[in-house]
Amino acid sequence: MVNASSKYNKIWLTVQCIPFGTVATYGQIADLAGLPGSARLVGKALGLAPKNLKVNWHRVLRSNGQIAFPSGSSDADTQRDLLLEENVAVINYRVNLKVFQWQPNLTEMLIKLRF
């Protein structure tokens, strides 16, 4: 049986693979981490990530491209600003996934996402 900390590590490692200027969804991260159906766990893991890991949590969004924090909140504004610094267009706290979503190729999946 896989413990929670092992699952969190897989999630953190997967999020760290999202390239600069791209985003992924909670469900996509769960799938790539080998935890299908665990999108909510991804959110929980990101909230518990140790600061020294420097996990790029701001690159993870809802399945519709929306920032998960309430619009206009300081957390939503921080995430929006971090994405804008990476030249990711954020309009009304939403990102166009057709343009900015990370689509890892086979090499990335075999090499970067090895657990």
Side-chain angles (χ1 to χ4, degrees):
M1 181 170 190
V2 179
N3 65 32
S5 121
S6 172
K7 290 179 182 181
Y8 293 165
N9 281 322
K10 287 180 178 184
I11 290 167
W12 298 331
L13 289 170
T14 304
V15 171
Q16 288 174 314
C17 291
I18 304 169
F20 182 92
T22 64
V23 297
T25 67
Y26 291 98
Q28 179 184 5
I29 295 302
D31 290 346
L32 290 170
L35 303 165
S38 299
R40 289 180 189 227
L41 183 65
V42 172
K44 183 176 181 179
L46 292 177
L48 296 172
K51 299 288 185 226
N52 64 334
L53 265 186
K54 298 182 181 168
V55 175
N56 294 310
W57 61 270
H58 63 282
R59 296 181 184 157
V60 184
L61 305 168
R62 290 183 175 166
S63 62
N64 63 0
Q66 186 175 359
I67 289 174
F69 297 110
S71 296
S73 68
S74 64
D75 289 330
D77 288 345
T78 297
Q79 186 170 10
R80 179 200 60 207
D81 293 346
L82 289 168
L83 290 169
L84 290 171
E85 287 176 14
E86 296 188 15
N87 296 316
V88 174
V90 182
I91 300 169
N92 294 324
Y93 297 93
R94 187 180 304 255
V95 172
N96 183 338
L97 294 177
K98 289 180 182 172
V99 176
F100 295 101
Q101 187 170 18
W102 175 43
Q103 299 294 332
N105 61 35
L106 185 57
T107 302
E108 287 177 297
M109 293 177 70
L110 292 174
I111 296 172
K112 287 186 180 179
L113 299 175
R114 272 190 5 214
F115 301 112

